[in-house]
Amino acid sequence: MITNPDYEKMDGLAEWLRAVPYEVLRHGHLYNAEELYQGYEPSADEAQDRTSFAQCYDSRVYQHFIAQGKIARDVNESVARTFHDHGIHMALKAFLADHDPMRCVGIMGGHALLRTDPMFAVVAMLSKRLTEEGFIMVSGGGPGAMEATHLGAWMAGRTDEEAHEALSRLADAATSFNDRAWLSSALEVMRRYPQTRYVSLGIPTWLYGHEPSTPFATHIAKYFVNSVREDTILTIAFGGIIYTPGSAGTLQEIFQNAVQDHYLSFGFASPMIFMGKRFWAEDVPVYPMLRQMEERGRYKNLLLTLTDDPSEIEQVLKDFQKTIPHG
């Protein structure tokens, strides 16, 4: 039996759902840069620019998220976030129904990778080629290696000269996501080189909301719950995952991915490609450890590659496509 106090709680929840600064019930669509950064007007005046950014949709949601606690203290807020993330999940399901998930390839790597780092350009150009070959690039949707992934996908279909010009414009304007012109320079490049043919998928989280989401991703599945987001990235990259140099987050993703492949959680294992021989064999020797564990039978079904050659990565991914069913 529902009592009057129960009705009052339900009324309170309804009021809360109407008051939060984000769309609780997503209607089958993912975010894009226009929606996340709605309200942001880049300005040469630093104070005006920062004020405008603080008032955009993404910033207001992040401010609310922090104010309510990264782990929601109020049950109403917890319900609102759950509804939102479920809507993102359903929108992502619809996205994958329109695109071949077997061609989704993830690129993982550090958020701190500078636009001036040679690896940034390598990731971007690799992503460009893979997108042009029909792959759908997936990343955590943030800055660094993630931005390079979606920049490359955004420049797909254009000349390499245009892609390098875009890289140069970004590096000249801001090297890090901590620089004020990081977002405005990305939006300027998008206006200069519009993209209407190719898509890419970014999957960021408000847990790391201090790292802005890259606007170069044409489709953005932004979650509140990071554990769901992390698992989602690794799950949908059925076509394989490329690991570029990173730190704790990248290491977590490697071992989480290895578990999925070991148990054949989705019926098959996908390539785990480590780009950067010295980094992954010496600086952070994950690759030889995985090899040793595999030889001892602790891991099974791992499809491991260690290389510095983007063309080898492309070939590994293409060869894998011949071994799996599509549709």
Side-chain angles (χ1 to χ4, degrees):
M1 178 179 180
I2 300 178
T3 64
N4 286 335
D6 292 326
Y7 281 119
E8 291 175 2
K9 290 178 182 178
M10 293 170 65
D11 288 341
L13 173 60
E15 183 177 349
W16 187 276
L17 298 181
R18 287 191 293 266
V20 295
Y22 52 90
E23 185 180 13
V24 174
L25 300 177
R26 303 291 299 174
H27 298 294
H29 65 280
L30 297 171
Y31 289 110
N32 57 25
E34 182 179 1
E35 185 174 4
L36 277 184
Y37 293 116
Q38 182 180 15
Y40 172 59
E41 295 292 339
S43 172
D45 181 87
E46 181 174 354
Q48 185 175 339
D49 187 82
R50 293 188 183 280
T51 298
S52 178
F53 178 75
Q55 294 173 346
C56 76
Y57 175 89
D58 190 57
S59 295
R60 287 186 287 107
V61 174
Y62 179 58
Q63 293 160 13
H64 175 84
F65 175 74
I66 293 300
Q68 294 299 318
K70 293 181 178 180
I71 298 177
R73 296 182 293 269
D74 187 286
V75 66
N76 291 335
E77 176 65 17
S78 181
V79 170
R81 294 179 187 181
T82 300
F83 281 163
H84 171 277
D85 283 5
H86 176 71
I88 292 295
H89 170 75
M90 297 307 294
L92 186 54
K93 184 177 180 180
F95 173 87
L96 294 174
D98 291 335
H99 302 85
D100 184 356
M102 297 302 177
R103 299 191 70 82
C104 287
V105 171
I107 294 187
M108 308 301 175
H111 67 272
L113 181 69
L114 300 179
R115 287 171 168 176
T116 51
D117 192 305
M119 180 61 75
F120 190 94
V122 171
V123 172
M125 298 307 291
L126 173 60
S127 179
K128 178 179 182 296
R129 286 193 296 274
L130 290 174
T131 302
E132 290 167 345
E133 290 289 342
F135 290 98
I136 301 168
M137 304 312 298
V138 180
S139 89
M146 296 171 280
E147 181 191 30
T149 299
H150 296 289
L151 168 64
W154 185 268
M155 297 303 295
R158 295 188 179 275
T159 65
D160 286 356
E161 289 74 18
E162 288 176 307
H164 284 295
E165 182 182 352
L167 283 162
S168 179
R169 285 177 175 274
L170 292 172
D172 290 344
T175 60
S176 165
F177 72 92
N178 291 312
D179 297 332
R180 183 173 64 85
W182 182 86
L183 176 59
S184 60
S185 59
L187 295 174
E188 191 278 328
V189 165
M190 291 171 67
R191 286 191 292 269
R192 185 176 183 86
Y193 303 105
Q195 176 61 265
T196 58
R197 178 180 175 186
Y198 296 98
V199 302
S200 69
L201 175 65
I203 309 180
T205 173
W206 276 290
L207 181 68
Y208 302 137
H210 61 287
E211 301 173 11
S213 302
T214 174
F216 288 113
T218 60
H219 295 74
I220 302 173
K222 192 156 189 175
Y223 286 89
F224 286 110
V225 181
N226 184 55
S227 59
V228 174
R229 168 250 189 180
E230 289 277 5
D231 186 71
T232 298
I233 298 171
L234 298 172
T235 296
I236 69 171
F238 291 115
I241 296 181
I242 303 162
Y243 292 99
T244 67
S247 55
T250 307
L251 291 174
Q252 173 186 328
E253 290 157 352
I254 289 170
F255 290 104
Q256 193 171 344
N257 185 197
V259 170
Q260 288 185 353
D261 287 347
H262 172 80
Y263 288 111
L264 299 178
S265 300
F266 302 98
F268 61 93
S270 301
M272 295 179 66
I273 304 172
F274 294 83
M275 187 164 76
K277 284 185 175 180
R278 179 174 179 177
F279 184 86
W280 292 118
E282 299 177 20
D283 298 343
V284 182
V286 173
Y287 181 82
M289 193 210 76
L290 288 175
R291 278 294 190 200
Q292 292 173 13
M293 296 287 282
E294 193 173 34
E295 290 171 1
R296 297 172 184 173
R298 297 294 184 179
Y299 274 124
K300 297 178 181 178
N301 308 312
L302 302 189
L303 305 178
L304 303 174
T305 299
L306 176 65
T307 183
D308 289 319
D309 185 358
S311 62
E312 182 180 358
I313 294 174
E314 186 176 347
Q315 193 59 53
V316 168
L317 295 172
K318 286 182 178 179
D319 289 344
F320 177 68
Q321 287 294 306
K322 302 172 184 176
T323 69
I324 54 176
H326 293 265

